[in-house]
Amino acid sequence: MGEDDTQNDDLSPSYVGADSFLNGVRKPRDQLTDDVDIGVLGVPFDGAASRQPGTRYGPEALRRESGWYGRSEPQYNAGTGQVTDYGSIQIQDCGDVPVVTTDVEQTGDYIRDAVEEVATHTFPVVLGGDHYLTYPSFTGFSQTVDGRVGLIHLDSHSDVYGERDLHGEHWHGSPMNLIADSPHGSYETHAMIGLRAFEDPDFPSFVDESGLYVDYARDVHDRGIEACLADAIDHVTASCDVVYLTVDIDVVEPTIAPGTGTPEFGGLDANQFLTALEYLGTCDAIGALDLVEVAPRLDPTRNTQRLGAAAVSRFIESKFM
């Protein structure tokens, strides 16, 4: 192998190395080919965060913790009842997208171009980074798709805010508003799961008028995560053949995953979260995934990034194995 073809040694302990996600081959994205199953991109950027920074360290932490899951020999996953074999799929970690720490929009352009390049060849997995990245990532992915793209969104916040005096137009509270205004997006093809934060007073009427689908955290606890996701998928795929999945780690209860900048109590537990990603992996329409808002330095236990890596691995096992 060349210098850029590095892959973690299968004989190494799971805590060694981890310079690539799920022990995938590390190559730049211009060496991506159509036979690769998954192309991973990191976005170490938190310049659009409104409260606690630190998600710039998310991709590095997720890669490190993912070494526990991406073993190439077959293993029986007692949590799912399935045999997993990462040796049967090709994962290429394309490294990090260039970022400009003081320029949100320039960084967004880099994200858009990178995701479009990866999506041209394979299934993109984007590791954040703050949630603003979903807007350029969705846009880049959508440029490889004909027609509108649906959006399934796990989060404690709606992120539908427009321009704010304090934050401007491009911040991590605005990506869903920006997506809805884009040529490929629409609230009518958008479903949110897990909301429980404070929203504008007219948010319920906005949901009714916009055609947005919302199941709040209280609905998940009452109805069950699978029932909520089934309805969300039905809503989004009623008029879209392709779906983008965005997952904000703060959808999880912060006593379980405290390493995030805007924690909200009353969230999904670990089992609900892992079940959600496993269930969503069975949705054939989903063509791209991002996991955002992991701020590892806010969690000395490292549980937040462990759970994030576990959730992405559940999705991949469900979708590709």
Side-chain angles (χ1 to χ4, degrees), residues 222-280:
D222 289 344
R223 300 177 55 216
I225 187 63
E226 292 189 5
C228 292
L229 288 171
D231 289 345
I233 291 170
D234 286 346
H235 173 82
V236 172
T237 58
S239 55
C240 284
D241 295 326
V242 181
V243 176
Y244 184 104
L245 172 60
T246 180
V247 180
D248 188 326
I249 197 69
D250 74 19
V251 75
V252 180
E253 165 60 36
T255 57
I256 298 168
T260 191
T262 51
E264 305 285 353
F265 291 104
L268 276 61
D269 63 30
N271 184 61
Q272 289 170 323
F273 186 54
L274 293 175
T275 298
L277 272 293
E278 181 184 351
Y279 187 93
L280 288 164

Side-chain angles (χ1 to χ4, degrees), residues 204-233:
S205 59
F206 165 77
V207 170
D208 293 339
E209 294 166 5
S210 66
L212 177 67
Y213 178 94
V214 176
D215 271 324
Y216 299 91
R218 60 181 183 269
D219 299 314
V220 173
H221 298 317
D222 289 344
R223 300 177 55 216
I225 187 63
E226 292 189 5
C228 292
L229 288 171
D231 289 345
I233 291 170

Side-chain angles (χ1 to χ4, degrees), residues 2-5 25-36 90 92-94 117-118 121:
E3 184 176 351
D4 290 328
D5 298 338
V25 173
R26 186 72 175 257
K27 287 185 180 180
R29 64 179 186 270
D30 62 5
Q31 296 183 30
L32 195 60
T33 55
D34 293 348
D35 60 340
V36 173
Q90 292 192 58
Q92 180 171 322
D93 192 321
C94 301
E117 185 174 2
V118 170
H121 296 284

Side-chain angles (χ1 to χ4, degrees), residues 30-210:
D30 62 5
Q31 296 183 30
L32 195 60
T33 55
D34 293 348
D35 60 340
V36 173
D37 297 294
I38 297 165
V40 179
L41 289 167
V43 182
F45 182 76
D46 55 14
S50 61
R51 292 181 66 187
Q52 301 178 94
T55 58
R56 67 181 64 184
Y57 304 111
E60 175 189 24
L62 289 163
R63 287 186 173 107
R64 183 174 60 248
E65 299 300 335
S66 73
W68 182 262
Y69 303 100
R71 311 304 289 175
S72 61
E73 71 277 7
Q75 300 180 100
Y76 175 70
N77 187 338
T80 64
Q82 302 294 321
V83 173
T84 67
D85 181 6
Y86 280 89
S88 67
I89 61 174
Q90 292 192 58
I91 300 176
Q92 180 171 322
D93 192 321
C94 301
D96 289 342
V97 175
V99 300
V100 183
T101 56
T102 56
D103 194 328
V104 175
E105 294 183 63
Q106 179 63 67
T107 298
D109 290 341
Y110 289 142
I111 296 167
R112 183 179 300 107
D113 292 345
V115 173
E116 181 180 6
E117 185 174 2
V118 170
T120 300
H121 296 284
T122 190
F123 188 101
V125 171
V126 183
L127 308 174
D130 69 53
H131 211 165
Y132 173 75
L133 73 83
T134 296
Y135 166 54
S137 181
F138 176 94
T139 303
F141 173 70
S142 297
Q143 289 171 348
T144 68
V145 176
D146 292 330
R148 290 196 299 182
V149 176
L151 185 61
I152 295 178
H153 172 195
L154 275 61
D155 202 335
S156 65
H157 311 86
S158 70
D159 295 344
V160 299
Y161 298 108
E163 186 170 0
R164 290 292 193 263
D165 290 341
L166 183 61
H167 306 298
E169 182 182 6
H170 295 267
W171 61 296
H172 75 161
S174 70
M176 307 313 156
N177 177 65
L178 295 168
I179 286 171
D181 286 342
S182 73
H184 289 273
S186 168
Y187 285 127
E188 294 176 350
T189 57
H190 189 151
M192 299 183 182
I193 306 292
L195 269 60
R196 60 191 185 276
F198 289 106
E199 301 285 346
D200 286 343
D202 62 349
F203 184 73
S205 59
F206 165 77
V207 170
D208 293 339
E209 294 166 5
S210 66

